[in-house]
């Protein structure tokens, strides 16, 4: 075999299939390499002509050719044309790459030495069997080396002809000019070839800028008007500001906006005139036509809608007399402020001189998640003299545009604080007499003198007697508004002190802390101020609950475990409230604070708690706690379903995880595997195993509904929907469908929460339905006949235990049935004494009533 000869002969050697494929691959890569070499040699020569073209485009779009004199424009054109032609001078040395240069390029790109590509085309000098065998081995070795050959990319060296990077200047000018000309239309490509302008003509092109700025409260972006394009602009909010600015040739043209309702053009709010600039601004209050720069734009303005506010339900009273309002409020861009206007109703003396202004009742805004734009506000107004009197409540809402909407007035009795102590109620009534009309102070003095006429019978506590006498002295000495108000506040402190002692002071501090925090949230206070008010609220709530705990009756001590749970719930609620306030979601924090106020307002003080049915309340609290546990368990089951369903989706998309030796050993040993280690079939089986837990929760819900029905609670629609959703989720789990189960579980959770709210409303309605009129017109706890829950008549110093006590019939019958059943059961057993059976039989004998 000879030393290698290139394939330059007329007859191609027989290389075989592998050799032919190798030579075709080398030929393709060689052609690409030659193209890359040609590009690298050609682009540096075209750099300067391209830069001069970019300069021409940039200067044309910037309007320079239109602005400069005709002579200077010709000079610029000649310079650009000369530079463009001279830029091709380096191309005189351009030559096409040769085949050898392309092969050297390939060898350099792939790190091949000794001219491997050229050697690949050699053939044996003699085609003997030994030579052919060596040649085929040589071809296989070359194929291995050249199997992954790469031709690379073109890399022109522009820095060789532009070492200082001047090419970036025309590129940057072209970029700026393109967007400038697109927005203003200031320059054209043909401006460089325009004939010379006449003497005295303007040299600057007309530039048109116009935009519409909607009011900030709409949170809409500005709208820009183009000199070329659409001439119809719709859906512009009322109150938007239209600004038009003209500059350059023709800037002195008139600018006008003609509303559709007016015959004449609207005068601009602001105008600026000059030789080469004119601008005008218009406040858009109605649709109209804009005339500017020789064009017209029709602008459609959408009027700002009036806000809508209405009662969602009748005003209610909490357990402590706080007024609770539920309402709906909406607006096209949002309501900025809302309040309830409370005014006296009925026969109002126009000449009366009230001591206090009408009560203030700011309303909370609906949360973003509210679908019907409903909101709730609770506020304690029992200290105001109008409490317990007929009033008219009107809801008022105002939007950012200044529109004010009012709801239909609702006439009701303003809730008052229930006073169970007759002396405390009488002191509060004295205050109310002259606080509603300061001219009635003599009448209040007569009333006060009447209750102190025989203090040994009506005022057993000497301290209370001295306080009332000192209040009488203040009433006699009161002359101006300030002294009248100090006297009224003093009487209120005496009344609440007699009723609740230290508890009333703790309740007052709690109410003040709640009002201060609510006002800070509405006014956008700083985080430091919010944190300080939250700490004050925590302390006030702790003092209030501590006072209630100290005043609890011995019969209420068995509720200590449930009370501890409520304390933990309150702490969690306060933490959530503080987190919402610090995160910036003040609307949600305000809504949560309102719910907290509602909760605290409906906590009954110990004096009224002692009058409730202890056993029934205990069972009701047990069902409430059971409902909370049921909601938590449903949430836990939903989280577990979500995790399994998520892993199942990943398995269906990416396949099962590779088998792991450790995992197989754990499975064989009976150890529990995590969802990340399960296959798709195992995950479906795990979902099926959750069916029993879901069915158990549905059965617990049914048992709870049955127990609530036995306690006299009306059925809640939310619980019925929750049961249906639970059954649907259980069916989906049985089929191994996680997505369907998740939807049913989510619906069940939402229905459970709605059912809980319905149950709490029903409990509150039952409590309010048992109200009785107190000594000063307030609503207390009892039946509608003026008796307590056991049928006793309240007297001056306590309860009358006479023969007119009426125990409810149902309670009597039920208790008698339990006693008779116990006697019969005892008779069936073996009696320890011979005399016991005859005695029990006599108890069972019917007796005639005298």
């Amino acid at each position: 075999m000879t030393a290698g000869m290139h394939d330059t002969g007329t007859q191609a050697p027989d290389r075989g299939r592998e050799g032919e494929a190798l030579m075709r691959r080398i030929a393709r890569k060689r052609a690409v390499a030659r193209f890359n070499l040609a590009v690298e040699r050609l682009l540096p020569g075209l750099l300067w002509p391209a830069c001069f073209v970019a300069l021409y485009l940039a200067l044309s779009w910037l309007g320079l050719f239109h602005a400069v004199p005709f002579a200077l424009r010709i000079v610029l054109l000649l310079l650009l044309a000369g530079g463009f032609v001279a830029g091709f001078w380096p191309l005189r040395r351009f030559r096409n790459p040769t085949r050898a240069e392309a092969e050297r390029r390939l060898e350099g790109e792939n790190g091949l030495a000794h001219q491997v590509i050229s050697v690949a085309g050699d053939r044996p000098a003699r085609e003997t069997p030994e030579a052919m065998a060596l040649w085929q081995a040589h071809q296989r070795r070359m194929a291995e080396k050249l199997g992954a050959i790469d031709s690379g990319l073109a890399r022109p060296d522009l820095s060789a002809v532009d070492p200082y990077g001047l090419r970036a200047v025309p590129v940057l000018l072209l970029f700026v000019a393109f967007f400038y000309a697109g927005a203003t239309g200031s320059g054209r490509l043909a401006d460089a070839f325009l004939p010379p302008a006449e003497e005295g003509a303007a040299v600057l092109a007309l530039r048109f800028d116009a935009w519409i700025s909607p009011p900030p409260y709409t949170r809409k972006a500005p709208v820009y008007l183009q000199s070329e394009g659409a001439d119809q602009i719709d859906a512009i909010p009322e109150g938007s500001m239209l600004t038009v600015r003209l500059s350059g040739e023709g800037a002195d043209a008139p600018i006008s906006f003609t509303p559709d309702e007016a015959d004449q053009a609207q005068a601009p709010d602001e105008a600026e005139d000059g030789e080469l600039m004119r601008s005008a601004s218009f406040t858009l209050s109605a649709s109209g036509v804009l005339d500017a720069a020789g064009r017209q734009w029709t602008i459609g303005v959408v009027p700002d809608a009036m806000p809508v506010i209405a009662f969602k339900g009748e005003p209610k009273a909490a357990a402590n007399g706080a007024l609770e309002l539920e309402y709906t409020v909406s607006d096209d861009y949002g309501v900025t402020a809302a309040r309830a206007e409370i005014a006296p109703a009925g026969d109002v003396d126009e000449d009366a001189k009230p001591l206090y202004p009408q009560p203030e009742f700011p309303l909370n805004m609906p949360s973003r998640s509210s679908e019907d734009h409903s909101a709730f506000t609770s506020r304690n107004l029992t200290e105001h003299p109008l409490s317990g009197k007929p009033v008219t409540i009107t809801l008022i809402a105002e939007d950012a545009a200044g529109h004010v909407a009012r709801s239909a007035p609702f006439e009701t009795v303003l809730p008052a604080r229930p006073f169970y102590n007759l002396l405390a109620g009488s002191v509060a009534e004295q205050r109310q007499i002259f606080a509603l009309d300061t001219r009635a102070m003599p009448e209040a003095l007569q009333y006060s003198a009447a209750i102190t006429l025989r203090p040994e019978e009506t005022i057993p506590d000497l301290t209370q007697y001295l306080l009332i006498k000192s209040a009488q002295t203040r009433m006699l000495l009161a002359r101006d508004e300030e002294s009248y108000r100090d006297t009224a506040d003093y009487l209120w402190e005496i009344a609440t002190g007699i009723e609740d002692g230290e508890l009333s002071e703790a309740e007052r501090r709690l109410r003040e802390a709640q009002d201060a925090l609510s006002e800070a949230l509405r006014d956008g206070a700083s985080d430091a101020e919010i944190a300080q008010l939250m700490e004050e609220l925590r302390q006030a709530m702790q003092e209030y609950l501590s006072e209630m705990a100290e005043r609890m009756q011995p019969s209420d001590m068995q509720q200590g475990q449930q009370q501890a749970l409520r304390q933990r719930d309150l702490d969690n609620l306060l933490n959530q409230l503080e987190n919402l306030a610090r995160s910036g979601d003040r609307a949600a924090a305000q809504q949560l604070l309102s719910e907290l106020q509602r909760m605290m307002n409906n906590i009954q003080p110990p004096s009224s708690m002692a009058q409730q049915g202890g056993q029934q309340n205990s069972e009701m609290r047990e069902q409430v706690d059971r409902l909370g546990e049921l909601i938590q368990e449903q949430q836990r089951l939903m989280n577990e379903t979500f995790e399994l369903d998520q892993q199942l989706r990943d398995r269906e998309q990416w396949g099962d995880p590779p088998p792991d030796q450790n995992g197989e050993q754990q499975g064989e040993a009976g150890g529990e595997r995590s969802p990340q280690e399960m296959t798709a079939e195992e995950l479906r089986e795990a979902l099926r195993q959750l069916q029993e837990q879901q069915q158990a929760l549905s059965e617990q819900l049914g048992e709870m509904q049955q127990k609530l029905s036995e306690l006299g609670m009306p059925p809640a629609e939310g619980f019925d929907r929750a049961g249906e959703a639970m059954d649907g989720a259980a069916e989906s789990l049985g089929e191994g469908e996680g997505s369907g189960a998740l939807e049913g579980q989510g619906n069940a959770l939402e229905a459970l929460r709605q059912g809980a709210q319905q149950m709490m409303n029903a409990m509150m309605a039952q409590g309010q339905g048992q109200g009785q009129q107190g000594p000063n017109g307030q609503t207390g706890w009892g039946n509608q006949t003026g008796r307590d829950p056991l049928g006793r008549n309240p007297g001056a110093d306590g309860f009358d235990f006479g023969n007119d006590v009426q125990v409810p019939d149902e309670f009597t019958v039920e208790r008698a049935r339990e006693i008779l059943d116990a006697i019969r059961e005892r008779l069936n057993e073996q009696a320890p004494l011979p005399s016991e059976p005859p005695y029990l039989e006599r108890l069972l004998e019917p007796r005639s009533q005298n």
Side-chain angles (χ1 to χ4, degrees):
M1 180 176 169
T2 62
M5 298 176 59
H6 293 295
D7 187 13
T8 58
T10 58
Q11 183 178 2
D14 185 12
R15 299 183 177 90
R17 291 184 178 180
E18 294 183 358
E20 292 294 339
L22 176 61
M23 295 310 296
R24 286 195 300 269
R25 187 183 309 117
I26 293 175
R28 288 194 301 268
K29 298 299 181 180
R30 186 190 300 118
V32 175
R34 294 182 69 176
F35 175 77
N36 291 340
L37 287 173
V39 170
E40 292 177 359
R41 297 175 181 179
L42 185 62
L43 283 184
L46 296 177
L47 173 62
W48 295 119
C51 289
F52 281 101
V53 172
L55 282 175
Y56 169 76
L57 295 175
L59 296 178
S60 298
W61 284 337
L62 291 174
L64 183 62
F65 291 114
H66 191 279
V68 299
F70 179 76
L72 183 57
R73 187 196 317 166
I74 297 300
V75 173
L76 288 176
L77 279 176
L78 292 176
L79 290 176
L80 292 175
F84 176 75
V85 174
F88 290 100
W89 179 253
L91 293 179
R92 71 187 187 280
R93 293 189 298 268
F94 176 79
R95 59 185 180 84
N96 286 323
T98 63
R99 173 175 173 171
E101 291 175 340
E103 292 177 353
R104 300 293 81 77
R105 174 63 176 265
L106 287 175
E107 292 170 353
E109 288 286 341
N110 297 274
L112 302 175
H114 309 296
Q115 298 183 352
V116 176
I117 297 178
S118 300
V119 174
D122 290 348
R123 61 184 179 84
R126 297 179 182 178
E127 296 183 359
T128 62
E130 294 82 2
M132 292 302 298
L134 290 175
W135 180 76
Q136 292 175 0
H138 165 72
Q139 290 292 327
R140 288 192 296 270
R141 186 176 59 184
M142 292 299 101
E144 292 176 358
K145 282 189 175 184
L146 302 177
I149 190 172
D150 185 15
S151 58
L153 299 175
R155 293 185 293 273
D157 187 10
L158 299 180
S159 61
V161 294
D162 182 21
Y164 299 105
L166 298 179
R167 58 188 178 275
V169 176
V171 174
L172 181 60
L173 287 176
L174 181 64
F175 179 80
V176 174
F178 175 78
F179 288 99
Y180 177 80
T184 63
S186 61
R188 300 174 300 172
L189 298 179
D191 289 345
F193 306 100
L194 292 176
E198 298 180 1
E199 184 178 357
V203 295
L204 290 179
L206 177 64
R207 175 175 175 178
F208 172 83
D209 295 307
W211 63 92
I212 301 175
S213 301
Y217 62 83
T218 62
R219 296 181 294 275
K220 288 191 173 183
V223 178
Y224 292 90
L225 280 64
Q226 302 292 338
S227 58
E228 298 180 1
D231 56 359
Q232 179 75 27
I233 309 296
D234 295 322
I236 300 300
E238 180 184 2
S240 300
M241 181 65 69
L242 169 61
T243 303
V244 181
R245 182 175 299 163
L246 301 179
S247 60
E249 181 182 2
D252 56 347
I255 303 174
S256 65
F257 180 78
T258 306
D260 294 341
E261 294 83 358
D263 297 333
Q264 298 180 355
Q266 176 182 343
D269 299 333
E270 298 178 2
E272 179 183 349
D273 297 316
E275 295 182 358
L276 298 177
M277 179 173 291
R278 177 177 175 82
S279 64
S281 299
F282 305 89
T283 301
L284 302 180
S285 57
S287 301
V289 178
L290 171 66
D291 288 308
R295 283 196 57 191
Q296 289 185 344
W297 288 265
T298 302
I299 300 177
V301 176
V302 179
D304 193 291
M306 290 284 293
V308 178
I309 188 169
F311 288 96
K312 189 176 182 180
E314 295 185 0
K316 300 178 182 179
N320 66 344
L323 177 62
E324 297 181 347
L325 297 181
E326 194 169 5
Y327 48 91
T328 58
V329 54
S330 61
D331 186 64
D332 47 1
Y333 297 115
V335 175
T336 57
R339 69 183 188 278
E341 185 180 77
I342 302 176
D347 297 332
V348 180
D349 188 359
E350 298 295 338
D351 299 329
K353 298 180 179 180
L355 185 58
Y356 295 91
Q358 295 180 1
E360 298 180 357
F361 201 103
L363 300 178
N364 298 329
M365 294 294 105
S367 61
R368 297 187 181 94
S369 60
S370 178
E371 297 181 357
D372 58 351
H373 305 285
S374 62
F376 170 84
T377 303
S378 175
R379 193 173 181 86
N380 196 323
L381 300 177
T382 55
E383 192 172 348
H384 197 276
L386 280 177
S387 60
K389 298 294 183 181
V391 295
T392 299
I393 303 177
T394 305
L395 304 182
I396 302 175
E398 183 177 356
D399 63 6
H403 299 151
V404 179
R406 304 172 67 92
S407 70
F410 188 92
E411 188 169 344
T412 184
V413 175
L414 190 65
R417 173 173 180 153
F419 285 101
Y420 301 98
N421 187 292
L422 299 181
L423 180 61
S426 64
V427 173
E429 188 173 357
Q430 298 171 35
R431 169 184 178 272
Q432 187 180 44
I433 290 175
F434 73 87
L436 291 176
D437 188 359
T438 55
R439 300 175 304 172
M441 178 62 82
E443 180 183 351
L445 278 169
Q446 293 177 1
Y447 195 94
S448 179
I451 65 173
T452 57
L453 185 62
R454 293 186 178 181
E456 66 278 0
E457 298 179 2
T458 59
I459 310 177
D461 192 315
L462 179 60
T463 302
Q464 297 175 0
Y465 172 75
L466 295 176
L467 289 173
I468 295 176
K469 293 299 291 183
S470 65
Q472 290 180 0
T473 303
R474 293 194 179 194
M475 295 167 68
L476 287 170
L477 299 177
R479 290 294 180 267
D480 55 6
E481 183 178 352
E482 183 178 359
S483 59
Y484 271 88
R485 187 166 295 180
D486 290 341
T487 303
D489 295 341
Y490 185 61
L491 284 172
W492 182 258
E493 292 178 2
I494 294 175
T496 55
I498 295 174
E499 175 71 17
D500 294 327
E502 294 295 332
L503 182 61
S504 62
E505 182 66 20
E507 183 181 7
R508 182 185 64 81
R509 289 193 295 269
L510 175 61
R511 185 169 66 250
E512 291 177 352
Q514 291 174 343
D515 294 343
L517 179 59
S518 178
E519 184 177 358
L521 290 174
R522 285 196 304 270
D523 297 341
S526 61
D527 291 343
E529 186 177 354
I530 293 294
Q532 180 181 357
L533 293 175
M534 281 296 307
E535 184 62 27
E536 294 177 0
L537 178 60
R538 291 178 187 273
Q539 295 178 0
M541 187 172 294
Q542 184 64 36
E543 293 175 2
Y544 178 72
L545 294 178
S546 299
E547 290 290 342
M548 287 191 64
E550 292 178 1
R551 293 168 58 90
M552 288 178 64
Q553 302 293 332
S555 59
D556 297 327
M557 296 305 295
Q558 61 183 353
Q559 305 170 7
Q561 190 173 7
Q562 289 87 347
Q563 184 67 26
L565 177 60
R566 295 191 187 96
Q567 180 64 47
R568 290 194 300 270
D569 293 341
L570 288 176
D571 291 339
N572 295 334
L573 192 61
L574 288 174
N575 293 334
Q576 185 179 1
L577 173 60
E578 186 172 7
N579 293 334
L580 286 174
R582 289 184 175 180
S583 64
D585 195 352
R586 299 294 175 89
Q590 183 73 51
Q591 193 70 18
L592 189 59
L593 177 61
S594 180
E595 293 295 335
L596 176 62
Q597 289 176 327
R598 184 179 190 178
M599 182 188 306
M600 299 303 297
N601 290 336
N602 285 284
I603 294 181
Q604 298 178 0
S607 58
S608 60
M609 289 168 58
Q611 300 181 22
Q612 304 303 311
Q615 179 65 26
Q616 184 175 5
N617 285 344
S618 177
E619 294 179 356
M620 188 65 69
R621 283 193 298 271
E622 181 180 352
Q623 297 306 316
V624 172
D625 296 338
R626 186 177 179 183
L627 175 59
E629 295 175 357
L630 183 61
I631 293 177
Q632 293 178 359
E633 187 64 21
Q634 181 63 72
Q635 181 67 54
R636 183 200 61 79
L637 186 59
M638 183 176 177
N639 294 340
E640 187 174 353
T641 305
F642 175 78
E643 183 178 3
L644 293 174
D645 181 66
Q646 192 69 24
Q647 293 296 329
L648 180 58
R649 290 174 180 270
D650 293 343
R651 297 294 179 271
E652 292 176 350
Q653 183 176 2
W654 305 106
D656 292 337
D660 184 26
Q661 184 177 0
N662 295 332
E664 294 176 359
Q665 292 175 357
Q666 291 176 0
E668 294 174 359
E672 184 178 356
R673 300 177 62 186
S674 65
Q676 291 79 5
E677 300 173 344
M678 295 181 181
T679 63
E681 186 58 34
E682 291 173 341
L683 289 170
R684 292 190 184 92
E685 183 61 28
L687 287 172
R688 297 187 189 101
Q689 293 176 0
L690 297 180
Q691 182 183 18
E692 297 181 0
Q693 300 182 29
Q694 187 64 70
Q695 290 176 346
L697 292 180
S698 179
E699 294 174 358
Q700 293 178 17
L701 178 61
E703 295 174 359
M704 187 191 70
Q705 289 181 273
Q706 180 66 26
K707 186 64 177 179
L708 290 174
S709 177
E710 295 174 358
L711 294 175
M713 293 294 297
E717 298 179 0
F719 291 152
D720 296 336
R721 293 196 302 270
E724 296 175 358
M726 286 181 176
D727 294 338
E731 183 177 354
S732 298
L733 288 173
E735 298 175 357
E737 296 181 359
S739 57
L742 283 172
E743 182 179 0
Q745 291 170 344
N747 295 335
L749 272 177
E750 182 64 23
L752 283 174
R753 295 189 179 98
Q754 294 177 0
Q757 184 64 40
Q758 295 170 1
M759 184 179 70
M760 297 302 296
N761 294 339
M763 292 172 63
M764 292 168 56
Q766 284 186 354
Q768 294 173 357
Q770 298 173 352
Q772 68 176 8
Q773 290 299 114
N776 60 338
Q778 294 89 350
T779 302
W781 288 93
N783 53 37
Q784 297 180 357
T785 61
R787 302 173 182 270
D788 75 325
L790 294 180
R792 299 172 294 187
N793 287 321
D797 298 325
F799 288 98
D800 182 11
F801 292 91
N803 295 327
D804 59 344
V805 174
Q806 299 178 0
V807 181
D809 294 338
E810 293 184 2
F811 175 79
T812 303
V813 173
E814 184 65 25
R815 185 59 178 164
R817 184 182 296 111
E818 293 176 359
I819 294 174
L820 292 176
D821 292 340
I823 293 175
R824 293 189 182 96
E825 185 177 357
R826 183 65 176 173
L827 276 175
N828 294 331
E829 300 176 356
Q830 292 183 357
L833 297 176
S835 58
E836 187 174 355
Y839 171 72
L840 296 177
E841 291 175 355
R842 288 197 301 272
L843 292 178
L844 293 176
E845 292 177 358
R847 296 184 179 183
S848 60
Q849 299 181 357
N850 297 330

